[in-house]
Amino acid sequence: MADEFIKGLGIFTGAGLGWIVLAGWYRTPGFESTKQLISPASPSPANADLFNLLAIGLMDVLFWFAILGPLAFWVVLPAIREAGDAIENRRNA
């Protein structure tokens, strides 16, 4: 169980750090703004170059990886393991 926890925590911190860096670059219009990290991406996809488009896409991927990755290690995999153990115990009983 400890290895699943640290894998989920590593995914959460690594992907969260990547998202917060990219969101700070692309979603913060200015430090005096009250809508930091939630405003639309500054170079709109219509007039952005390839690297900006990749970074904006990566920002969305990292956000969802930071949400779904730890859930997989903290909820889904232990639930599957417990269900497998329960099925095995019913067969042996």
Side-chain angles (χ1 to χ4, degrees), residues 3-16:
D3 58 338
E4 280 94 5
F5 177 76
I6 200 65
K7 288 175 188 175
L9 186 64
I11 288 172
F12 183 70
T13 56

Side-chain angles (χ1 to χ4, degrees), residues 22 26 50-60:
L22 290 174
Y26 289 102
L50 178 66
F51 290 117
N52 286 331
L53 288 175
L54 288 175
I56 291 169
L58 182 63
M59 183 174 32
D60 292 338

